[in-house]
Amino acid sequence: MKRQERKINLLRCAIYTRVSTEQGLEQEFNSLDNQREASEAYIKSQAHEGWRLNRDRYDDGGFSGGSMERPALQKLLDDVRARRIDVIVVYKVDRLTRSLADFAKLVELFDEHAVSFISVTQSFNTTTSMGRLTLNMLLSFAQFEREITGERIRDKVAASKKKASGWAGRFRSDIAWRIVRSMSWRTKPTLSAISFDAI
C-alpha cells in the first residue's frame, strides 16, 4: 500500500529586525545581522512545514521600539495588508515594539490578515495553541493597562479641577481683602457686605 504524503502549504516568512541606536551599524556584522541570522536559522528549521523566507528586508536601524513610526515596520505592515506575508519572525518581541498597547494593535492587524507571529528566543509562536494562549494573556494585560491608565487620567483631571476650584476661591478672597484694605475707614464696609461671587 502506497503511503499517502501529507500536503504542505507554503508559508511566506518575513524577518523584522530593529536596534535603537545607530552605534555599531557600520560594523561588517552588526546587531541587525545577528537578529536576521538567528531568524533565518529558525525559518530553515521549519522548512518541513513549508516555511519559506521572503527575501525582502525589513531592518530598522536607529529607531526606538516605543514608536510605530519606523520605515521598515511600515513597509512590513503594508505587505501584511497586501497579503504578501504569512508569518512574521523576530529575534525578540521587543524588537517589534516595546509598547503593550501597540503590540495589541499589531496582533489585531495580523489576525485580520491571517498572519502568524514568531519570537525566536522566547518560544512565542502563534501558529500553536500554546502560543495563542500566551498571546491572549498578553492582550488581557494590555486591556488591563489601558483601563488603569484611563482611571489614572480621570483621577488626575478630577484632582486638578478640585485644586483649581480651591485656588480660585482663595484668589477671590484675596482680592476682596485687598479692596477692603485700600478703602478709607469712612467708606470701609464690613467683609460680610462684599459678595465674593461678584468679583
Side-chain angles (χ1 to χ4, degrees):
M1 183 176 176
K2 188 176 179 180
R3 190 170 125 193
Q4 188 175 2
E5 292 185 2
R6 181 168 65 95
K7 185 179 179 180
I8 298 175
N9 294 324
L10 183 67
L11 296 176
R12 300 159 298 176
C13 304
I15 296 173
Y16 177 76
T17 65
R18 182 188 65 79
V19 65
S20 297
T21 66
E22 295 181 352
Q23 185 178 357
L25 292 181
E26 72 283 353
Q27 297 175 3
E28 186 175 345
F29 188 82
N30 55 49
S31 176
L32 296 178
D33 296 321
N34 179 58
Q35 294 175 43
R36 186 171 183 82
E37 186 178 80
S39 300
E40 284 181 353
Y42 189 90
I43 292 172
K44 191 176 292 185
S45 73
Q46 301 299 312
H48 62 284
E49 295 292 342
W51 291 31
R52 297 293 182 270
L53 176 62
N54 181 343
R55 291 298 171 182
D56 289 339
R57 295 186 69 111
Y58 306 92
D59 305 320
D60 276 322
F63 289 90
S64 168
S67 169
M68 296 275 280
E69 298 305 315
R70 290 170 262 154
L73 177 61
Q74 292 304 315
K75 179 187 174 187
L76 175 68
L77 298 182
D78 285 343
D79 286 348
V80 167
R81 295 184 185 100
R83 301 189 182 277
R84 300 191 189 105
I85 297 170
D86 300 306
V87 180
I88 294 173
V89 182
V90 297
Y91 184 71
K92 289 173 64 177
V93 173
D94 66 5
R95 297 303 87 195
L96 187 66
T97 179
R98 289 185 177 277
S99 165
L100 197 53
D102 286 343
F103 182 66
K105 293 175 186 175
L106 289 170
V107 169
E108 184 178 349
L109 177 66
F110 298 163
D111 282 347
E112 186 181 335
H113 295 84
V115 173
S116 297
F117 174 71
I118 315 293
S119 172
V120 173
T121 60
Q122 295 163 313
S123 299
F124 190 88
N125 184 346
T126 63
T127 64
T128 67
S129 56
M130 182 58 72
R132 287 189 292 274
L133 173 62
T134 305
L135 173 62
N136 288 331
M137 291 172 64
L138 282 174
L139 295 181
S140 295
F141 277 111
Q143 177 64 27
F144 174 72
E145 182 184 51
R146 284 195 296 271
E147 291 177 359
I148 290 295
T149 300
E151 289 175 2
R152 287 174 180 166
I153 292 172
R154 287 193 295 272
D155 290 345
K156 187 174 181 179
V157 169
S160 296
K161 287 181 178 178
K162 186 176 180 181
K163 185 176 181 180
S165 176
W167 178 84
R170 290 194 299 273
F171 179 71
R172 291 196 298 270
S173 298
D174 184 60
I175 290 179
W177 180 241
R178 287 172 185 270
I179 292 173
V180 170
R181 289 182 62 185
S182 67
M183 291 178 180
S184 68
W185 68 272
R186 293 179 185 277
T187 60
K188 190 178 293 184
T190 62
L191 279 175
S192 60
I194 297 175
S195 173
F196 292 154
D197 291 335
I199 295 175

